[in-house]
Each structure stands twice: as structure tokens, then as C-alpha cells.
Amino acid sequence: NEIKIFSPATVANVSCGFDVLGFCLDSVGDEMVIRKTDKKGIHITKIEGFDLPYEPELNVAGVSALAMYEAIDVDFGFEIEIYKNIKPGSGIGSSAASAVGSVFGMNELLGKPFNKTQLTAFAIKGEALASKCEHADNLAPALFGGFTLVKSLTPLEILEIPSPNELYVTIIHPQIEIKTSEARAILPKEVPLQDAIAQWANLGSLVHALHTSDYNLIQNSLHDVIVEPYRSTLIPHYNEVKKAALKAGALGTGISGSGPSIFSLSKGLEAANSVKEAIEKVYSRTNILFDMHVSKINVEGVKIL
Ligand code: HSE
């Protein structure tokens, strides 16, 4: 009647795949306990780590849970405990982890009536509370693991893309908060055709490179000519970090989701650690607090502990 789960952090956009591409991290995530209770409805009974609302209608995990609860007909309710490790507004899918965790846990306790795409659809409702618009590029990798591509939102269609074995990610999280809604508001509503061509060429080739484990092509594809020029201005020392990471051997560096976290992909753990050291040097010279993670791609996604 009770289940404990790990709901992972994720990197959305991955440079050229704004709002569609994402991947799952294995070293950072939230823990949640979901419990059946006689009291009908959704009840958030504990939140540790960050100060978030207990009212289900105002809490991302609560909103996605309510969306699922409305779709089932049961004479019991659910209690949710949230042990939050992913800082809200950090750019590594904090709201997605919450939104996914509650519906994944409830689904397990119900005997898995819903598939992962259906769970994503419930979780989108929670994610929308945080970012003021519906997108699933953090939710899908948190649920499916690995790399995912959201082919379409209506109807919801998610593609699973293979993760090359030696791909590692280095994340730096500067301790400033960027609200996704604000980072979206500064983006242009229209893009020049030439930029669109470059972007979809890179996205197509990145997806091909992931399928063929072609690290050189991954390197050649990790560019973002549309979003990065706007959002990088919100992240202190972004260009220095990127330059240092590429010099240290990263295949590519970009903004994680809507920032402020910055991700770098590398071939092999050793390279990912060198990239970490190089970025650490840049940020140590500033007065901004930060934390860093090196992670393998998590191919499993959200899981029972
Ligand atoms: N694709 C989204 C964005 C991810 O970049 O705005 C952040 O939640």
C-alpha cells in the first residue's frame, strides 16, 4: 500500500532540440513516497528539502496526481511525501521530477493501468503549473529514461532514442534561479528561415549520431542557433564556461532546459571529469555559489527504490 520511488533530474532541449529532446540523469533526483489511504482525494503530507505548497492544486506533484485521480474511479485516496533534492528553478527538470513521481507511484500502486505515454499526459498538467505552458521534454526522459524525443503533444507521441554507452554529462548549477516562464518570455516568436534550417539539420544529425554512437557527429551537432543567444545572457559567465568545457574536451556544451544549469556531454568518464575541473576553475573565480555533478545517462528513468 506504500511505495518509495526515485524520480530523476533531466536535461531538456539538448542544444538543438528545444522543447522536444531531453535525456535523463542518474546522479540527481527526488525521492517520493506514495501511499494509499482511506481518505479519498490527493493529500500531500510531507515536503522536505524546499519550501513548496502542500495544497495539491498548487503543487506540481499534486496537479499531475489530481489529473490521474480524475481519470480513475476508486474509493480510496493517495498520500504523497516529497523529499526534494532538485532545486526548483535549477534547469534540470525539478518540476518534471515532481510531476512524474506522483503519477508513476500511483500507477504502480494501482497495478499499472496506464502506460508511460499516458503517465506523461497526466504529468504535463503538473509541469504546466510551473512553466505556464505544456511541454514534455523533461517529463518524457524522466519517465522513459535515456534520450527521448517528443514527436507531438497532440496526440502525445514520444520516441525513445538510444544512448551511446560512453556518453557522460557534466552539469554545473550556478545558485541563481531562472523561472522557466521568464526564460520562455524572452524568446522570439519567429525565427529566420536560415536559423531554422541550421537547427533542424543539427537536430536530425544529433538523433542519427545517437542511433549510431557516432561521437564525432554528436560533437558536430550540439549547436543551438535559436535559443542560446537569448538565454545565455541570463546565465553569468556562460560563454567562459562553454569555452573552457570545449577546450577541456567536451563534445558540446549548452543550457540545460531553461537554465541556469549548463550541461556538457563528453565521451568517457575521464573526459567528463576533466570538463568538470575546467568549469570549476571558471566559477571558482566568481562569487556565485554553484554545485556540479558528473553523471552517466540514466537509461531506466523513474524507478521504485
Ligand atoms: N523546453 C523547456 C524550455 C524546458 O526550454 O523552456 C524547460 O522546462
Side-chain angles (χ1 to χ4, degrees):
N1 275 353
E2 178 178 306
I3 198 169
K4 189 174 186 187
I5 58 123
F6 172 78
S7 197
T10 45
V11 170
N13 300 337
V14 202
S15 296
C16 46
F18 181 71
D19 266 7
V20 297
L21 195 59
F23 64 80
C24 187
L25 298 174
D26 73 357
S27 64
V28 210
D30 295 342
E31 288 181 8
M32 290 167 83
V33 173
I34 319 292
R35 189 180 299 117
K36 276 197 207 170
T37 166
D38 290 341
K39 202 171 145 200
K40 284 182 113 182
I42 300 295
H43 315 280
I44 299 174
T45 52
K46 200 172 193 180
I47 303 175
E48 283 182 11
F50 293 94
D51 196 13
L52 296 165
Y54 277 77
E55 299 89 332
E57 304 76 25
L58 302 177
N59 182 298
V60 168
V63 171
S64 59
L66 284 168
M68 179 173 191
Y69 195 71
E70 277 162 24
I72 56 177
D73 186 18
V74 290
D75 60 0
F76 53 86
F78 292 94
E79 285 180 3
I80 303 172
E81 295 178 7
I82 306 170
Y83 301 91
K84 200 114 193 90
N85 294 313
I86 316 170
K87 192 173 186 274
S90 57
I92 50 171
S94 178
S95 50
S98 295
V100 158
S102 56
V103 293
F104 174 81
M106 285 165 65
N107 194 47
E108 293 289 325
L109 292 176
L110 289 165
K112 298 199 203 184
F114 299 107
N115 65 30
K116 288 184 177 178
T117 302
Q118 290 169 313
L119 294 182
T120 308
F122 297 130
I124 284 176
K125 303 296 174 204
E127 176 77 296
L129 179 74
S131 61
K132 315 269 184 285
C133 91
E134 298 200 340
H135 60 94
D137 51 342
N138 285 109
L139 300 168
L143 268 161
F144 288 82
F147 278 82
T148 55
L149 188 124
V150 182
K151 159 88 171 61
S152 108
L153 279 177
T154 2
L156 187 58
E157 222 178 311
I158 294 157
L159 308 178
E160 291 182 78
I161 298 166
S163 310
N165 265 338
E166 291 175 86
L167 209 52
Y168 284 81
V169 55
T170 307
I171 300 266
I172 175 164
H173 167 219
Q175 303 272 318
I176 59 164
E177 190 180 340
I178 294 181
K179 289 206 160 60
T180 297
S181 50
E182 287 164 19
R184 295 183 81 86
I186 63 165
L187 298 179
K189 299 285 167 281
E190 288 172 9
V191 298
L193 184 60
Q194 282 309 317
D195 289 351
I197 292 168
Q199 199 88 347
W200 61 56
N202 281 325
L203 179 57
S205 65
L206 178 58
V207 169
H208 179 72
L210 292 170
H211 272 277
T212 52
S213 294
D214 184 337
Y215 293 90
N216 286 331
L217 190 59
I218 292 175
Q219 183 169 21
N220 280 331
S221 311
L222 283 169
H223 303 292
D224 171 10
V225 298
I226 293 179
V227 174
E228 186 187 66
Y230 294 90
R231 285 187 172 174
S232 58
T233 61
L234 304 175
I235 305 172
H237 311 286
Y238 178 79
N239 291 330
E240 281 164 78
V241 165
K242 182 164 178 168
K243 207 169 143 194
L246 295 177
K247 197 168 163 215
L251 299 169
T253 294
I255 301 168
S256 175
S258 55
S261 289
I262 303 168
F263 79 94
S264 300
L265 286 174
S266 300
K267 184 180 180 187
L269 181 58
E270 211 177 307
N273 280 324
S274 306
V275 169
K276 177 175 182 266
E277 272 174 39
I279 297 175
E280 246 165 8
K281 268 194 198 144
V282 173
Y283 252 80
S284 301
R285 290 197 293 264
T286 74
N287 54 9
I288 300 165
L289 294 176
F290 64 96
D291 51 67
M292 294 199 70
H293 309 279
V294 171
S295 173
K296 214 175 156 36
I297 308 295
N298 169 358
V299 292
E300 201 180 353
V302 58
K303 64 176 181 192
I304 300 170
L305 286 175

Coordinates of all heavy atoms in Angstrom, one line a residue, residues 128-165:
A128 N 2.8 22.1 -16.4 CA 2.3 23.3 -16.9 C 2.1 24.4 -15.8 O 2.1 25.6 -16.0 CB 1.0 23.1 -17.6
L129 N 1.9 23.9 -14.5 CA 1.7 24.8 -13.4 C 3.0 25.6 -13.2 O 2.9 26.7 -12.9 CB 1.4 23.9 -12.2 CG 1.2 24.7 -10.9 CD1 -0.1 25.5 -10.9 CD2 1.3 23.8 -9.6
A130 N 4.1 24.9 -13.4 CA 5.4 25.5 -13.1 C 5.8 26.4 -14.3 O 6.3 27.5 -14.1 CB 6.5 24.5 -12.9
S131 N 5.6 26.0 -15.5 CA 6.2 26.7 -16.6 C 5.2 27.5 -17.5 O 5.6 28.1 -18.4 CB 7.0 25.8 -17.5 OG 6.2 24.8 -18.1
K132 N 4.0 27.4 -17.1 CA 2.9 28.2 -17.7 C 2.7 27.8 -19.2 O 2.1 28.6 -19.9 CB 3.1 29.7 -17.6 CG 3.6 30.2 -16.3 CD 2.4 30.6 -15.4 CE 2.9 31.2 -14.1 NZ 3.4 30.2 -13.1
C133 N 3.1 26.6 -19.5 CA 2.8 26.1 -20.9 C 3.0 24.6 -20.9 O 3.8 24.1 -20.0 CB 3.6 26.9 -21.9 SG 5.1 26.1 -22.3
E134 N 2.4 23.9 -21.8 CA 2.5 22.5 -21.8 C 3.7 22.1 -22.7 O 3.8 22.4 -23.8 CB 1.2 21.9 -22.3 CG 0.1 22.2 -21.4 CD -1.1 21.3 -21.6 OE1 -1.2 20.6 -22.6 OE2 -1.9 21.3 -20.7
H135 N 4.7 21.4 -22.0 CA 5.8 20.7 -22.8 C 6.2 19.5 -22.0 O 6.0 19.4 -20.8 CB 6.9 21.7 -23.1 CG 7.5 22.3 -21.8 ND1 8.6 21.7 -21.2 CD2 7.2 23.3 -21.0 CE1 8.9 22.3 -20.2 NE2 8.1 23.3 -20.0
A136 N 6.8 18.6 -22.8 CA 7.1 17.3 -22.1 C 8.5 16.8 -22.3 O 8.9 15.7 -22.1 CB 6.1 16.2 -22.8
D137 N 9.4 17.8 -22.6 CA 10.8 17.4 -22.9 C 11.6 17.0 -21.7 O 12.7 16.4 -21.8 CB 11.5 18.4 -23.8 CG 11.4 19.8 -23.3 OD1 10.6 20.1 -22.5 OD2 12.3 20.6 -23.8
N138 N 11.2 17.4 -20.5 CA 11.8 16.9 -19.2 C 11.0 15.7 -18.7 O 11.6 14.8 -18.2 CB 11.7 17.9 -18.1 CG 12.8 19.0 -18.3 OD1 12.4 20.2 -18.6 ND2 14.0 18.7 -18.1
L139 N 9.7 15.7 -18.9 CA 8.8 14.6 -18.4 C 9.1 13.3 -19.1 O 9.3 12.2 -18.4 CB 7.3 14.9 -18.6 CG 6.8 16.2 -18.0 CD1 5.4 16.5 -18.6 CD2 6.7 16.0 -16.5
A140 N 9.3 13.3 -20.4 CA 9.4 12.1 -21.1 C 10.7 11.3 -20.7 O 10.7 10.1 -20.4 CB 9.4 12.3 -22.6
P141 N 11.9 12.0 -20.7 CA 13.1 11.3 -20.3 C 13.0 10.8 -18.8 O 13.6 9.8 -18.5 CB 14.2 12.3 -20.5 CG 13.6 13.6 -20.6 CD 12.2 13.4 -21.1
A142 N 12.3 11.6 -17.9 CA 12.2 11.2 -16.5 C 11.4 9.9 -16.5 O 11.7 9.0 -15.7 CB 11.5 12.3 -15.7
L143 N 10.4 9.7 -17.3 CA 9.5 8.5 -17.3 C 10.2 7.4 -18.1 O 10.1 6.2 -17.6 CB 8.2 8.8 -17.9 CG 7.1 9.3 -16.9 CD1 6.0 10.0 -17.5 CD2 6.6 8.1 -16.1
F144 N 10.7 7.6 -19.2 CA 11.2 6.6 -20.1 C 12.7 6.3 -19.9 O 13.1 5.2 -20.2 CB 11.0 6.9 -21.6 CG 9.6 6.9 -22.0 CD1 8.7 8.0 -21.8 CD2 9.1 5.8 -22.7 CE1 7.4 8.0 -22.3 CE2 7.8 5.8 -23.2 CZ 6.9 6.9 -22.9
G145 N 13.4 7.2 -19.3 CA 14.9 7.1 -19.2 C 15.5 7.4 -20.6 O 14.9 7.5 -21.6
G146 N 16.9 7.4 -20.6 CA 17.6 7.7 -21.8 C 17.3 9.0 -22.5 O 17.0 10.0 -21.8
F147 N 17.5 9.0 -23.8 CA 17.1 10.2 -24.6 C 15.7 10.0 -25.1 O 15.3 8.8 -25.5 CB 18.0 10.3 -25.8 CG 19.3 11.0 -25.5 CD1 20.4 10.3 -25.0 CD2 19.5 12.3 -25.8 CE1 21.6 10.9 -24.7 CE2 20.7 13.0 -25.6 CZ 21.8 12.2 -25.0
T148 N 14.9 11.0 -25.1 CA 13.5 10.9 -25.7 C 13.3 12.1 -26.6 O 13.9 13.2 -26.4 CB 12.4 10.9 -24.7 OG1 12.6 12.0 -23.8 CG2 12.5 9.6 -23.8
L149 N 12.4 11.9 -27.6 CA 12.0 13.0 -28.4 C 10.5 13.1 -28.4 O 9.8 12.1 -28.7 CB 12.5 12.8 -29.9 CG 12.3 14.0 -30.8 CD1 13.6 14.4 -31.4 CD2 11.3 13.6 -31.9
V150 N 10.0 14.2 -28.1 CA 8.5 14.4 -28.1 C 8.1 14.8 -29.5 O 8.3 15.9 -29.9 CB 8.1 15.5 -27.1 CG1 6.6 15.6 -27.0 CG2 8.6 15.1 -25.7
K151 N 7.6 13.8 -30.2 CA 7.3 14.0 -31.6 C 6.1 14.9 -31.8 O 6.0 15.7 -32.7 CB 7.0 12.6 -32.2 CG 6.2 12.5 -33.5 CD 7.1 12.6 -34.7 CE 6.3 12.4 -36.0 NZ 5.2 13.3 -36.2
S152 N 5.1 14.7 -30.9 CA 4.0 15.6 -30.9 C 3.3 15.6 -29.6 O 3.4 14.6 -28.8 CB 3.0 15.3 -32.1 OG 1.8 14.7 -31.6
L153 N 2.7 16.8 -29.2 CA 1.9 16.8 -28.0 C 0.5 16.4 -28.1 O -0.1 15.8 -27.2 CB 2.0 18.3 -27.4 CG 3.3 18.7 -26.7 CD1 3.2 20.2 -26.3 CD2 3.5 17.9 -25.4
T154 N -0.1 16.8 -29.3 CA -1.5 16.3 -29.6 C -1.6 15.7 -31.0 O -1.4 16.5 -31.9 CB -2.5 17.5 -29.5 OG1 -1.8 18.7 -29.3 CG2 -3.6 17.4 -28.6
P155 N -1.7 14.4 -31.0 CA -1.7 13.5 -29.9 C -0.3 13.3 -29.4 O 0.7 13.5 -30.1 CB -2.2 12.2 -30.6 CG -1.6 12.3 -32.0 CD -1.7 13.7 -32.4
L156 N -0.2 12.9 -28.1 CA 1.1 12.8 -27.5 C 1.8 11.6 -28.0 O 1.3 10.4 -28.0 CB 0.9 12.6 -25.9 CG 2.2 12.6 -25.1 CD1 3.0 13.9 -25.3 CD2 1.8 12.4 -23.6
E157 N 3.0 11.8 -28.6 CA 3.8 10.8 -29.2 C 5.2 11.0 -28.8 O 5.8 12.0 -29.0 CB 3.7 11.0 -30.7 CG 3.5 9.7 -31.5 CD 3.4 9.9 -33.0 OE1 2.6 10.8 -33.3 OE2 4.1 9.3 -33.7
I158 N 5.8 9.9 -28.1 CA 7.2 10.0 -27.6 C 8.0 9.0 -28.2 O 7.6 7.8 -28.2 CB 7.1 9.9 -26.1 CG1 6.4 11.1 -25.5 CG2 8.5 9.8 -25.5 CD1 5.8 10.9 -24.1
L159 N 9.2 9.3 -28.7 CA 10.1 8.4 -29.3 C 11.3 8.2 -28.3 O 11.8 9.1 -27.8 CB 10.7 8.9 -30.6 CG 9.6 9.3 -31.6 CD1 10.3 9.9 -32.9 CD2 8.7 8.2 -32.0
E160 N 11.7 6.9 -28.1 CA 12.8 6.6 -27.3 C 14.1 6.5 -28.2 O 14.0 5.8 -29.3 CB 12.6 5.3 -26.6 CG 11.6 5.4 -25.5 CD 11.4 4.1 -24.7 OE1 12.3 3.9 -23.8 OE2 10.5 3.4 -25.0
I161 N 15.1 7.2 -27.9 CA 16.3 7.3 -28.7 C 17.5 6.6 -27.9 O 17.6 6.9 -26.7 CB 16.6 8.7 -29.1 CG1 15.5 9.3 -29.9 CG2 17.9 8.9 -29.8 CD1 15.5 10.8 -30.0
P162 N 18.3 5.8 -28.6 CA 19.3 5.1 -27.8 C 20.4 6.0 -27.3 O 20.6 7.1 -27.9 CB 19.9 4.1 -28.9 CG 19.4 4.5 -30.2 CD 18.2 5.4 -30.0
S163 N 21.0 5.6 -26.2 CA 22.0 6.4 -25.5 C 23.4 5.7 -25.7 O 23.5 4.6 -25.2 CB 21.8 6.6 -24.0 OG 20.5 7.0 -23.8
P164 N 24.3 6.3 -26.5 CA 25.6 5.7 -26.6 C 26.2 5.4 -25.2 O 26.1 6.2 -24.3 CB 26.4 6.7 -27.4 CG 25.4 7.5 -28.1 CD 24.2 7.5 -27.2
N165 N 26.9 4.2 -25.1 CA 27.4 3.7 -23.8 C 28.4 4.6 -23.1 O 28.4 4.7 -21.9 CB 28.1 2.4 -24.0 CG 27.2 1.3 -23.8 OD1 26.2 1.4 -23.1 ND2 27.5 0.1 -24.3

